[in-house]
Amino acid sequence: MTPHPDARYIGAMSHVSLFAVVAGLGLVACSPSSFTTQVQGEATVPANPTGAPTLLNAFPAISSFAALDFNENQDFKNRDVAKDEVSRVQVKSLSLKVLSPNDQGFDFLDSLEAVARAGDRESRFAGQDGIAQLGLGPPNPTLSLKADGSVDLRPYVAAPTMAFILRGSGRLPEREVRLQATVVLEVEGGLL
């Protein structure tokens, strides 16, 4: 007895559908996962001791942004991803917030740039000019730097250690200003 033509069609479609599902699951299992992590630290901009306008010729270092080892990062550990397994790292955001005094704005800063450094290599990944004119006044304003989405920080994150460095220009503020810096990274790597 010959099977009905519809039965052969349904049988063939069942095999095609099963193949599509298995192939799709295989692609998902091999696709890189994506997660975000952040690095946060504080810096203190010293007060102007003279009272006369004095140029800010170096932005203070942020100690928690130096000697970073992303194998020690909790988000990497939670995902069970080693830093040399990542395929791409992009900056989602970089922000600075005035912590104290709470009546201080960003009018003392003219420009700020952020670079990633590992060994003798570095890449600029964010910046902002004309900060004093942005009107970021108290209380406790937040400055968001413009991230360059085309910069892949993977070589820096995969290095033995790396650092985020902020460079700025402006004037020393009348009072000491404590800032909190936050870098948010989107990381691709590892397997689902």
Side-chain angles (χ1 to χ4, degrees):
M1 179 170 176
T2 310
H4 190 274
D6 288 344
R8 283 185 290 198
Y9 175 76
I10 291 171
M13 288 308 295
S14 296
H15 289 298
V16 169
S17 297
L18 179 61
F19 176 74
V21 169
V22 170
L25 288 174
L27 288 174
V28 168
C30 294
S31 67
S33 63
S34 176
F35 63 96
T36 58
T37 189
Q38 75 175 20
V39 180
Q40 201 168 57
E42 292 184 13
T44 300
V45 180
N48 182 355
T50 65
T54 305
L55 290 180
L56 172 69
N57 55 12
F59 199 81
I62 300 172
S63 61
S64 59
F65 280 14
L68 292 167
D69 180 354
F70 278 89
N71 280 340
E72 301 303 316
N73 178 288
Q74 192 59 50
D75 294 314
F76 276 66
K77 289 179 179 182
N78 291 347
R79 292 288 187 136
D80 196 26
V81 173
K83 64 186 178 184
D84 60 351
E85 295 174 336
V86 301
S87 56
R88 185 163 178 79
V89 179
Q90 281 192 287
V91 176
K92 287 187 74 169
S93 66
L94 189 156
S95 61
L96 255 70
K97 179 178 182 177
V98 173
L99 296 178
S100 67
N102 66 355
D103 61 348
Q104 174 68 49
F106 278 102
D107 55 342
F108 67 95
L109 269 181
D110 292 329
S111 66
L112 198 61
E113 73 171 1
V115 298
R117 178 186 286 168
D120 59 355
R121 295 179 317 178
E122 68 177 44
S123 291
R124 181 184 188 275
F125 64 85
Q128 181 68 51
D129 292 321
I131 296 170
Q133 288 77 39
L134 295 176
L136 299 173
N140 306 100
T142 298
L143 167 66
S144 296
L145 274 64
K146 296 176 184 172
D148 181 350
S150 67
V151 177
D152 182 5
L153 295 183
R154 185 214 169 280
Y156 299 95
V157 168
T161 61
M162 60 98 48
F164 293 125
I165 300 166
L166 298 178
R167 296 180 180 137
S169 65
R171 292 148 306 286
L172 288 174
E174 292 178 8
R175 295 174 289 172
E176 183 177 273
V177 178
R178 193 166 57 99
L179 301 170
Q180 180 182 64
T182 305
V183 179
V184 179
L185 303 171
E186 183 167 2
V187 181
E188 293 177 13
L191 299 176
L192 291 174

